[in-house]
């Protein structure tokens, strides 16, 4: 499976920390929320998220995941959050919401937490076992195919 490139400059979602924070340039902002969506095999979508997940970015992410989960022929979604640099408790809300929607649609949900912020959050909250976690998106896609 080829890795997806992050959405290019001008398409990144950049969330300032406060209303008076300037957004200098998309490429200069290290906390930009980066999204990439790929369909490696029919019926399986991989949503890669990088940057920060907090109260400012969760509404956009929730809408993106909702759109992907309403795809008619979808039977698995892989949320690759291994490149998330910061995850507030809003990330847990996002994952739980995605899980509820996936269960409702009878769609398999795989989470790729990586070794950073999301894994720490799942470990601290003791929610890691609640999700089907895999080491990589490729591993999750292979399982979804089988």
């Amino acid at each position: 499976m080829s890795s997806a490139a992050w959405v290019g400059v001008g398409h990144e979602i950049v969330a300032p920390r406060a209303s008076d924070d300037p957004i200098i340039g998309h490429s200069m902002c290290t906390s930009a929320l980066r999204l990439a969506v790929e369909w490696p095999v029919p019926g399986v979508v991989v949503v890669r998220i990088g940057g920060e997940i907090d109260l400012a970015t969760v509404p956009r992410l929730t809408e993106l995941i909702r759109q992907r989960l309403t795809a008619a022929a979808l039977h698995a979604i892989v949320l690759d959050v291994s490149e998330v640099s910061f995850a507030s408790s809003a990330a847990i809300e996002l994952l739980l919401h995605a899980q509820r929607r996936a269960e409702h649609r009878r769609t398999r949900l795989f989470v790729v937490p990586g070794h950073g912020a999301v894994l720490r959050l799942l470990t601290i909250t003791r929610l890691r076992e609640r999700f089907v976690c895999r080491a990589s998106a490729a591993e999750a896609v292979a399982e979804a195919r089988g």
Side-chain angles (χ1 to χ4, degrees):
M1 177 177 75
S2 64
S3 67
W6 291 112
V7 175
V9 174
H11 299 288
E12 293 177 347
I13 298 171
V14 179
R17 297 312 239 154
S19 61
D20 59 344
D21 282 352
I23 298 177
I24 297 174
H26 294 299
S27 60
M28 297 178 72
C29 184
T30 59
S31 65
L33 180 63
R34 298 177 311 276
L35 302 172
V37 178
E38 65 179 274
W39 297 83
V41 295
V44 178
V45 65
V46 176
V47 178
R48 295 181 193 276
I49 302 169
E52 298 184 2
I53 300 177
D54 57 19
L55 286 174
T57 58
V58 162
R60 293 178 185 120
L61 291 170
T62 301
E63 178 60 20
L64 173 77
I65 292 167
R66 185 198 64 74
Q67 289 172 358
R68 296 301 168 248
L69 284 171
T70 57
L74 186 69
H75 65 266
I77 184 169
V78 177
L79 291 180
D80 184 345
V81 290
S82 60
E83 295 295 319
V84 169
S85 58
F86 173 80
S88 75
S89 60
I92 294 294
E93 177 186 347
L94 174 73
L95 292 173
L96 291 171
H97 175 76
Q99 184 181 49
R100 281 191 302 272
R101 289 200 59 100
E103 287 172 353
H104 178 73
R105 298 255 325 164
R106 292 186 173 94
T107 302
R108 297 175 73 187
L109 173 70
F110 297 92
V111 177
V112 180
H115 299 289
V118 175
L119 180 62
R120 282 191 301 276
L121 191 59
L122 289 174
T123 302
I124 289 168
T125 59
R126 297 183 183 182
L127 289 173
R128 185 171 186 209
E129 291 74 30
R130 182 169 180 152
F131 299 98
V132 178
C133 294
R134 295 296 176 257
S136 69
E139 181 182 323
V141 169
E143 186 173 332
R145 291 173 95 171

